[in-house]
Amino acid sequence: MKRWNGWGDDSINVGLPEDGIRFLKEITGEPTPPEKATRDITYEEALRLVGPSRLEGMPGVDTSAEARLWHARGQSLPDWLSLRQGIGLDFPDAVAFPESEEDVRRLLTLAAEKNAVVMIYGGGTSVVGHINRPKGDRAVLVLDLSRMNRLLHFDPVSRLARFQAGVAGPDVERQLAPHGMMLGHFPQSYEYSTLGGWVAARSSGQQSLYYGRIEDQFAGGRVITADAEINLPLHPASAAGPDLRQVLLGSEGRMGVITEVTVRARPIPEAEEFHGVFFPDWKRAEAFARAAVQNRLPLSMMRLSSARETFVTLSLAGHASLIKWMERYLALRGVGEGKCLLIVGFTGTKAHVSHTKKITMHLASKYNGVSLGQKLGSAWKKNRFRGPYMRNSLWEMGWAVDTLETAVPWDKVTDGVSRIEEALQKAAMDEAGERLLVYTHLSHLYGSGSAIYTTYVFRAQATPEKTLQLWKRMKDAASRAIVEMGGTISHQHGVGRDHSPYLPAEKGEVGMKWLESMIKTADPKGLFDTGNLTQR
Amino acid sequence: MKRWNGWGDDSINVGLPEDGIRFLKEITGEPTPPEKATRDITYEEALRLVGPSRLEGMPGVDTSAEARLWHARGQSLPDWLSLRQGIGLDFPDAVAFPESEEDVRRLLTLAAEKNAVVMIYGGGTSVVGHINRPKGDRAVLVLDLSRMNRLLHFDPVSRLARFQAGVAGPDVERQLAPHGMMLGHFPQSYEYSTLGGWVAARSSGQQSLYYGRIEDQFAGGRVITADAEINLPLHPASAAGPDLRQVLLGSEGRMGVITEVTVRARPIPEAEEFHGVFFPDWKRAEAFARAAVQNRLPLSMMRLSSARETFVTLSLAGHASLIKWMERYLALRGVGEGKCLLIVGFTGTKAHVSHTKKITMHLASKYNGVSLGQKLGSAWKKNRFRGPYMRNSLWEMGWAVDTLETAVPWDKVTDGVSRIEEALQKAAMDEAGERLLVYTHLSHLYGSGSAIYTTYVFRAQATPEKTLQLWKRMKDAASRAIVEMGGTISHQHGVGRDHSPYLPAEKGEVGMKWLESMIKTADPKGLFDTGNLTQR
């Protein structure tokens, strides 16, 4: 079953190979597992922390300790520390599971009567504090939309599929498949995150190069506000003033409840392949990736790892001997120390895949790229949603891991990668004398720039408070570096509470006023006043 | 030189062949040329209509009758009637030609002191009343941005080009060409309309399938509001809340002066071809076009004419004998009465063009499409910006012509075409017993739907007032038909004043409140209160 205090299903454990652990220790030093430091609290202990509910007796809501604990936190590192070690843990007052728009309306009315804050909950996978209990004295009602998960209508001519917004990734695909169609939105949280959540937080999937970001997939839908409804029409395009879909995209639960989402579906492709291509160094790898996307090669994904991430990937992969032989082969092809791994995906008809593969490999060879075929690509595909599971195993061994991301124009990409990594390392050293394992890849590539995705692993500190403090310093340092280089504070995770202090830097004064006025217009009484986006 | 009361350069005249005129007369009946009905007013007569300026003596502005006449109207049919026959003609009080952001700021301050309304003017090509003198007693200052037309910076790595917003289409391309780059934004107004105007009105070019709509090309920029500045960052993508670029896109001069626009440039393609393909009937033609765009064939444009538009195109083309032979050939290939012409474009490397052409023609053959090669395609390219010139010649002969457009999902396209054409015909018959020449093409195609572009030609009435009244009835009937079928009131022309009554139907109550609050936030004192978008 689903872990209450970690990622994913507790029957799934993604371990680290021995050499991986050895390698990690060499970099960060010997960690101290939780039971030797502060042990994790048990489920029963956590339940005992749940206090009385201020919404006791509200009809049609669940005020049980279980429901409130299960909806207490997302998946950010501070969320983990709260759940694992019980620090600063607080809880919503009640959880409701609406099954229809009528339910939603009724619950909003009840919440308004009690002056409760309504917090909308999709898959609970936020990593930036979207779904934590808001500050302040108002009671908090969580709307868990997981029961609003049906495909309501599919129009095969326009290829438009209308879903209830609470539908999770796999259920989107399961319901489109009988029509021979799919959506193809694959964030790493895919197995749990929901369509409505993707829209509310401007999600982007691993194959957005082919299937588009949620902005491209979101054709229209319906939103229920405190006292009105918003119907977003399904125009393929329009010049009729500002695009209001783009206001709901990224609204993060501040403007109303997204109850229906119509998406642009795609046919299930005939063929798909993922290949691993190595480049001798970052310079050539980055130049190839940029050329590929700027030349509009019709790929379905690119993921370009820095030299360090490539090294880490190979070190943590296990199969040491296999990799040794692989590296011998690459060395003979002039690809050695400092090599960078690109995973590239091809999706479409068989003819399209083979044609695109040909022109892609032809271009790659100009940058001394060497393809190892599908072995590493298939491994990536197999594990594409497994990354977060590693957090569980690392935690057991005494390591904390977090990721952060941004997007910048191409002329800032290479420098940006170093700046972010250095900011994290310096903060860790200054704050706690800790050495990090930090590495980066380009996760989403565009003609004018790229997303930068950085992972950092560090030792849990003697106390959870110290670990949290260390994380805060690193996260703040990296966020400042991102803002200073003119990057966006989030390319795919959203703003929530953790990023909201940095939002004004990119939205500007008028932009923030716009945001506040849009929120005020849709939600004059502050029913959805969670503090996401604007810190209120 | 540029016509003061019609389209384009007065050295360019696009006439109609004899058979074209005969054909037109057969449908609408014999027209009455202006000089026999109410003759057009002369330039001198028009100048005499210009009254005293309420901004006399404002420093750095032009209050001459010439400047005010030249900035009095756009290119809509009512605008034509005003300029050609002097009905309801009114004028702004002054025109300023800022050359820098400092100029803009200074002018905004001066306007605010005089409580004047500031109307931003790009190329003056609006067809929906954007740039007509606003209702009300306030003085009106026109900001003509045509002198802010320079490329300020080009970043070859990110392929981002920062322009002053007043730059006209040809000057955009002229300044990018030395870098081997281009933008490729080709609305029919391309020769006069400006980059800032495209952003403000959400323009779309004839090759948007390849180069993207302005929403895709607009990476960021700067806006000067009454008392602040908005800087839109150049993130390739972002999940940091609502996308504020999408608020400026379509803002139609209500939120501030767009002074800088950074666009995503593309390399000048190695090869480009436009081909004419005929299909036996609309059903198969529409099915092919939809399949082509839904299968994502990497085309650079498609323009699909209805059977009637195809017939008209061939009738007005001249070269009667050439066309007769063409039709004999098509008949042998099973393409006769009711045939539909598709113009399809291929752009990119030579290899890409030949590959795409092959797969496109292969798909077309499945729908019994017959290609006539580049003859008709090249003719389309040659005349792609000439359409509006035809209005001049038609007017001289006593015909008025107007166009309107929308976009709907694919399941509504075919029915939508008929509904719009019938609404126009019925209104013309009911109002004035007139028979129209009306025809339609699909101008911009998307996976989930298509734009519908309808042209209608009718006889000028005995008096300009009657002609205007007839037009109003037809425009209103078509607009209601569009709204009733759930189409957008504009796919590419914007809202202005003419469409603003129909905007609430698609934006909804909350949507309109959002719009008003965004305008109020950016422009609290109503400096830009022209009545575009919201009717105030």
Side-chain angles (χ1 to χ4, degrees):
Chain A
M1 84 182 264
K2 198 176 173 193
R3 287 186 171 87
W4 70 276
N5 66 347
W7 182 265
D9 188 297
D10 58 14
S11 69
I12 300 173
N13 291 292
V14 176
L16 245 72
E18 274 316 313
D19 355 350
I21 297 170
R22 205 174 309 112
F23 165 75
L24 237 175
K25 287 179 177 174
E26 279 165 21
I27 291 181
T28 69
E30 190 74 35
T32 317
E35 71 275 7
K36 297 211 184 62
T38 327
R39 71 164 177 78
D40 289 352
I41 60 171
T42 66
Y43 184 59
E44 291 63 33
E45 287 169 329
L47 285 177
R48 279 199 291 276
L49 296 174
V50 183
S53 163
R54 271 178 288 177
L55 295 176
E56 208 56 70
M58 179 183 272
V61 305
D62 185 341
T63 56
S64 69
E66 288 77 5
R68 294 167 60 199
L69 171 57
W70 277 94
H71 293 81
R73 286 294 182 272
Q75 293 290 336
S76 74
L77 193 84
D79 292 347
W80 268 58
L81 288 167
S82 294
L83 285 172
R84 291 277 185 163
Q85 311 230 302
I87 60 163
L89 194 52
D90 52 11
F91 307 88
D93 293 283
V95 182
F97 300 87
E99 296 177 6
S100 66
E101 295 187 333
E102 298 69 65
D103 288 352
V104 170
R105 282 193 205 87
R106 185 178 46 74
L107 288 158
L108 294 187
T109 310
L110 288 172
E113 284 164 14
K114 294 249 186 277
N115 187 35
V117 177
V118 173
M119 198 156 61
I120 305 154
Y121 189 102
T125 59
S126 169
V127 289
V128 292
H130 281 115
I131 51 176
N132 297 358
R133 182 186 181 93
K135 297 203 199 76
D137 305 330
R138 293 167 64 187
V140 175
L141 172 65
V142 170
L143 287 197
D144 179 323
L145 299 186
S146 55
R147 292 182 193 170
M148 294 179 67
N149 58 7
R150 285 181 303 110
L151 171 62
L152 298 172
H153 178 70
F154 175 66
D155 163 7
V157 178
S158 312
R159 294 183 170 178
L160 291 169
R162 185 158 54 93
F163 281 96
Q164 290 180 304
V167 61
D171 296 326
V172 169
E173 301 303 352
R174 199 170 295 129
Q175 294 179 84
L176 284 175
H179 301 280
M181 305 298 283
M182 64 184 289
L183 179 62
H185 194 83
F186 301 125
Q188 201 171 37
S189 61
Y190 165 77
E191 294 161 307
Y192 296 97
S193 54
T194 63
L195 182 52
W198 298 338
V199 171
R202 284 189 170 261
S203 167
S204 184
Q206 293 162 347
Q207 286 174 268
S208 61
L209 209 50
Y210 184 78
Y211 293 104
R213 290 173 59 87
I214 198 68
E215 295 95 302
D216 311 308
Q217 301 177 314
F218 177 48
R222 188 158 45 210
V223 181
I224 295 179
T225 67
D227 50 17
E229 260 180 37
I230 304 169
N231 286 288
L232 298 160
L234 303 177
H235 307 141
S238 171
D243 183 351
L244 300 182
R245 286 177 313 118
Q246 297 280 353
V247 171
L248 268 310
L249 283 158
S251 55
E252 300 194 353
R254 291 300 305 274
M255 301 183 189
V257 185
I258 300 169
T259 54
E260 288 185 6
V261 174
T262 297
V263 293
R264 295 162 178 154
R266 305 284 314 282
I268 295 169
E270 186 180 62
E272 183 162 74
E273 293 182 16
F274 298 95
H275 289 243
V277 183
F278 283 90
F279 292 85
D281 51 46
W282 175 256
K283 194 157 177 302
R284 278 173 279 191
E286 187 269 352
F288 164 79
R290 179 156 40 87
V293 72
Q294 291 186 336
N295 295 352
R296 295 245 198 118
L297 297 195
L299 308 170
S300 81
M301 64 88 65
M302 278 194 279
R303 175 197 167 111
L304 176 60
S305 295
S306 69
R308 195 192 282 106
E309 181 169 295
T310 302
F311 183 77
V312 171
T313 306
L314 298 176
S315 310
L316 300 189
H319 322 296
S321 63
L322 170 69
I323 285 165
K324 198 170 283 113
W325 281 106
M326 214 179 63
E327 292 191 309
R328 284 185 187 156
Y329 167 78
L330 287 170
L332 291 173
R333 303 285 307 274
V335 175
E337 189 83 22
K339 61 182 171 298
C340 294
L341 170 61
L342 174 84
I343 302 294
V344 56
F346 310 97
T347 303
T349 62
K350 288 193 182 111
H352 173 87
V353 166
S354 74
H355 174 75
T356 309
K357 205 163 53 183
K358 204 161 82 247
I359 56 178
T360 303
M361 295 316 174
H362 176 71
L363 182 64
S365 64
K366 293 182 178 169
Y367 298 84
N368 308 102
V370 177
S371 171
L372 292 190
Q374 296 192 56
K375 183 118 191 74
L376 290 163
S378 309
W380 171 83
K381 188 188 179 184
K382 181 163 159 293
N383 298 312
R384 64 192 296 181
F385 307 126
R386 290 305 179 85
Y389 281 96
M390 187 79 79
R391 297 174 71 184
N392 302 327
S393 347
L394 284 167
W395 180 263
E396 308 304 331
M397 294 183 278
W399 279 296
V401 55
D402 193 25
T403 65
L404 48 81
E405 38 87 40
T406 182
V408 293
W410 278 113
D411 64 330
K412 295 194 172 119
V413 166
T414 297
D415 178 51
V417 172
S418 331
R419 286 217 223 174
I420 293 165
E421 293 187 348
E422 282 157 17
L424 289 165
Q425 282 161 322
K426 183 171 186 312
M429 188 51 71
D430 295 352
E431 170 68 20
E434 288 288 339
R435 278 171 299 128
L436 301 176
L437 172 63
V438 52
Y439 49 89
T440 300
H441 67 265
L442 307 186
S443 59
H444 299 72
L445 290 77
Y446 305 88
S448 64
S450 176
I452 296 173
Y453 190 94
T454 300
T455 304
Y456 55 108
V457 185
F458 60 100
R459 296 188 298 181
Q461 301 296 290
T463 69
E465 291 73 13
K466 284 208 172 101
T467 306
L468 183 62
Q469 174 64 12
L470 172 55
W471 173 82
K472 279 209 178 91
R473 287 292 162 88
M474 292 188 288
K475 174 77 175 175
D476 184 51
S479 301
R480 271 188 278 105
I482 285 168
V483 165
E484 280 157 20
M485 73 174 83
T488 174
I489 197 59
S490 176
H491 166 271
Q492 73 214 61
H493 290 158
V495 177
R497 323 275 165 81
D498 296 0
H499 288 157
S500 57
Y502 304 96
L503 193 62
E506 68 188 84
K507 296 299 185 191
E509 198 188 325
V510 178
M512 291 308 292
K513 280 195 204 152
W514 263 339
L515 255 179
E516 283 148 14
S517 73
M518 288 186 278
I519 290 169
K520 193 88 185 152
T521 303
D523 184 32
K525 299 209 185 76
L527 186 61
F528 302 102
D529 197 355
T530 53
N532 290 332
L533 287 179
T534 65
Q535 312 183 270
R536 296 127 94 189
Chain B
M1 78 179 275
K2 199 178 172 192
R3 288 185 172 86
W4 70 275
N5 65 347
W7 183 264
D9 189 295
D10 58 14
S11 69
I12 300 174
N13 291 293
V14 176
L16 245 72
E18 276 316 313
D19 352 347
I21 296 170
R22 206 173 309 111
F23 165 75
L24 238 174
K25 287 178 178 176
E26 279 165 22
I27 291 183
T28 67
E30 192 73 36
T32 317
E35 71 275 8
K36 296 210 185 61
T38 328
R39 69 162 179 80
D40 288 353
I41 61 171
T42 66
Y43 184 59
E44 291 63 32
E45 286 168 330
L47 285 176
R48 280 199 289 278
L49 295 174
V50 183
S53 165
R54 272 178 288 178
L55 294 177
E56 211 54 72
M58 179 183 273
V61 305
D62 185 341
T63 55
S64 69
E66 288 77 4
R68 294 167 61 199
L69 171 58
W70 277 93
H71 292 81
R73 287 293 183 271
Q75 292 290 335
S76 74
L77 193 84
D79 293 345
W80 268 57
L81 287 168
S82 295
L83 285 172
R84 291 275 183 165
Q85 311 230 303
I87 60 164
L89 194 53
D90 53 9
F91 308 87
D93 292 283
V95 182
F97 300 86
E99 295 178 4
S100 67
E101 295 187 333
E102 299 68 67
D103 288 351
V104 170
R105 281 192 206 86
R106 186 178 45 75
L107 288 159
L108 294 187
T109 310
L110 288 172
E113 285 164 13
K114 295 250 185 274
N115 189 35
V117 177
V118 173
M119 198 157 60
I120 305 153
Y121 189 102
T125 59
S126 169
V127 290
V128 293
H130 281 115
I131 51 174
N132 297 359
R133 181 187 181 91
K135 296 201 202 77
D137 306 329
R138 293 168 61 187
V140 175
L141 172 64
V142 170
L143 287 196
D144 180 323
L145 299 185
S146 55
R147 293 182 191 169
M148 294 179 68
N149 58 7
R150 286 181 303 107
L151 171 62
L152 299 172
H153 178 70
F154 176 66
D155 163 8
V157 179
S158 312
R159 295 182 170 178
L160 291 169
R162 184 157 56 91
F163 281 96
Q164 290 180 301
V167 61
D171 296 327
V172 169
E173 301 302 355
R174 200 170 294 130
Q175 294 179 83
L176 284 175
H179 301 280
M181 305 297 283
M182 63 184 289
L183 179 60
H185 194 83
F186 301 125
Q188 201 170 38
S189 61
Y190 165 78
E191 294 162 308
Y192 297 97
S193 54
T194 63
L195 182 52
W198 298 339
V199 171
R202 283 187 171 263
S203 166
S204 184
Q206 292 162 346
Q207 286 173 268
S208 62
L209 208 50
Y210 184 79
Y211 293 104
R213 290 173 60 89
I214 198 68
E215 296 96 301
D216 311 309
Q217 300 178 315
F218 176 48
R222 189 163 34 215
V223 181
I224 295 180
T225 67
D227 51 14
E229 260 180 37
I230 305 169
N231 285 288
L232 297 161
L234 302 177
H235 307 141
S238 171
D243 183 350
L244 300 182
R245 286 178 311 117
Q246 297 280 352
V247 172
L248 269 309
L249 283 157
S251 55
E252 300 193 353
R254 291 300 304 275
M255 300 182 189
V257 184
I258 299 169
T259 53
E260 287 185 7
V261 174
T262 297
V263 293
R264 296 162 179 155
R266 306 284 313 282
I268 295 169
E270 184 180 64
E272 183 162 75
E273 293 181 17
F274 298 94
H275 289 244
V277 183
F278 282 90
F279 293 84
D281 52 47
W282 175 255
K283 196 160 177 300
R284 278 175 279 192
E286 186 268 354
F288 164 79
R290 179 156 40 90
V293 71
Q294 290 187 337
N295 295 352
R296 295 244 199 118
L297 298 194
L299 308 170
S300 81
M301 62 88 65
M302 277 194 280
R303 174 197 168 109
L304 176 61
S305 295
S306 69
R308 196 194 279 104
E309 181 169 293
T310 302
F311 183 77
V312 171
T313 307
L314 298 177
S315 310
L316 300 190
H319 321 297
S321 63
L322 170 70
I323 284 165
K324 197 169 288 115
W325 281 105
M326 212 180 66
E327 293 191 310
R328 283 184 187 156
Y329 168 77
L330 288 170
L332 290 174
R333 301 284 309 272
V335 175
E337 188 82 21
K339 60 182 172 298
C340 294
L341 170 60
L342 174 83
I343 302 294
V344 56
F346 310 98
T347 304
T349 62
K350 288 197 182 104
H352 173 86
V353 166
S354 75
H355 175 74
T356 309
K357 205 163 52 182
K358 205 163 81 246
I359 56 178
T360 303
M361 296 315 174
H362 176 70
L363 182 64
S365 66
K366 293 184 178 169
Y367 298 83
N368 308 102
V370 178
S371 172
L372 291 191
Q374 297 193 54
K375 183 114 192 73
L376 290 164
S378 308
W380 171 82
K381 187 187 179 184
K382 181 164 159 295
N383 298 311
R384 64 193 296 182
F385 307 126
R386 290 304 177 88
Y389 281 96
M390 187 78 78
R391 298 174 71 185
N392 302 329
S393 344
L394 284 168
W395 180 263
E396 308 302 334
M397 292 183 276
W399 280 295
V401 55
D402 193 25
T403 65
L404 48 81
E405 38 87 40
T406 182
V408 293
W410 278 114
D411 63 330
K412 296 194 172 116
V413 167
T414 297
D415 179 50
V417 171
S418 327
R419 285 215 222 175
I420 292 165
E421 292 186 349
E422 283 157 18
L424 289 167
Q425 282 161 319
K426 183 171 186 315
M429 189 50 71
D430 294 353
E431 170 68 20
E434 287 288 340
R435 278 171 299 127
L436 301 175
L437 172 62
V438 52
Y439 49 89
T440 300
H441 66 265
L442 307 186
S443 59
H444 298 74
L445 290 77
Y446 305 88
S448 64
S450 176
I452 296 172
Y453 190 94
T454 300
T455 303
Y456 54 108
V457 185
F458 59 100
R459 296 189 298 181
Q461 301 296 291
T463 69
E465 291 73 13
K466 284 209 171 101
T467 306
L468 183 61
Q469 175 64 12
L470 172 55
W471 174 82
K472 279 207 176 97
R473 287 292 163 90
M474 292 188 287
K475 175 75 176 176
D476 184 51
S479 301
R480 273 188 276 105
I482 285 168
V483 164
E484 279 158 21
M485 73 175 82
T488 175
I489 196 59
S490 176
H491 167 271
Q492 72 214 59
H493 290 159
V495 177
R497 324 274 165 83
D498 296 358
H499 287 156
S500 57
Y502 304 95
L503 194 62
E506 68 188 85
K507 296 299 186 191
E509 199 188 324
V510 178
M512 290 309 292
K513 280 195 204 151
W514 263 339
L515 255 179
E516 283 149 14
S517 73
M518 289 186 279
I519 289 169
K520 191 90 187 149
T521 303
D523 185 30
K525 298 208 185 74
L527 186 62
F528 302 102
D529 199 354
T530 53
N532 290 332
L533 287 179
T534 65
Q535 310 183 272
R536 294 125 84 176

